[in-house]
Amino acid sequence: MHLTTQLLSDIKHRDSFTAYWIGLFSWGSFVTFLHFGGYEFQWYAQFGWWDLLTHFVSGIGVAGILLVGLRHTVLPQAPVSWVFIALLSIGAGFEVYEYLFRSFWHSWTPIYYAQDTAEDLLMACTGGVVMQAWYRAKSVRGSDGDVSVTAQSAD
């Protein structure tokens, strides 16, 4: 519930973090378009890299939500491993959902499915690490006078 509490607090105060949340929700809309557009227009089948792109940009978005939403719990200078492990866990949960409730993979061999899952998780985690690097750089610049992603209180 900490993420929800942080989001509501930021919106209530209409501070600079409101812009981050708007950006993250916009990014989520973009990811949703990539995913459902990929199904609707057969881009997953037409472009072998579409799935990789979609997972990469989703990793950026999920990491952004975690980094902004947990900014008072996890410092920007935290090890990259925490965002990698968080994205790996969230992504693995999605992959289990996909395995249980989607039928598109039924024609895949177990080896192909395992390879696809590993690639999906790697791309999402890579996107998360890229977001953490940006977040860390933005926080450092913020200490020199720009808007810092860690300078505001949740209250």
Side-chain angles (χ1 to χ4, degrees):
M1 293 305 278
H2 186 73
L3 290 172
T4 304
T5 304
Q6 187 65 62
L7 168 64
L8 294 174
S9 175
D10 290 342
I11 291 172
K12 177 183 171 187
H13 289 99
R14 294 188 178 135
D15 58 16
S16 62
F17 288 101
T18 303
Y20 284 104
W21 288 112
I22 291 169
L24 288 167
F25 284 114
S26 298
W27 191 262
S29 297
F30 173 62
V31 172
T32 300
F33 169 76
L34 289 178
H35 178 66
F36 289 107
Y39 281 124
E40 181 66 26
F41 302 112
Q42 300 296 312
W43 294 332
Y44 282 109
Q46 290 177 2
F47 308 110
W49 47 265
W50 195 264
D51 189 44
L52 300 175
L53 170 70
T54 303
H55 281 275
F56 179 77
V57 297
S58 69
I60 290 172
V62 172
I65 291 168
L66 293 173
L67 290 162
V68 172
L70 299 175
R71 68 183 178 272
H72 298 291
T73 305
V74 181
L75 296 175
Q77 294 74 22
V80 169
S81 60
W82 91 265
V83 81
F84 187 90
I85 291 169
L87 268 288
L88 188 63
S89 301
I90 293 166
F94 179 79
E95 293 295 326
V96 168
Y97 157 79
E98 187 176 79
Y99 181 80
L100 294 174
F101 298 108
R102 303 295 302 207
S103 62
F104 66 84
W105 60 267
H106 287 177
S107 62
W108 294 358
T109 66
I111 291 173
Y112 183 81
Y113 187 80
Q115 178 184 351
D116 179 74
T117 298
E119 289 171 353
D120 292 349
L121 293 173
L122 179 62
M123 292 307 291
C125 291
T126 302
V129 168
V130 167
M131 172 52 91
Q132 186 178 12
W134 175 85
Y135 181 82
R136 187 178 285 178
K138 181 74 174 165
S139 296
V140 169
R141 280 198 316 268
S143 65
D144 293 333
D146 292 345
V147 174
S148 172
V149 294
T150 59
Q152 300 290 328
S153 169
D155 295 326

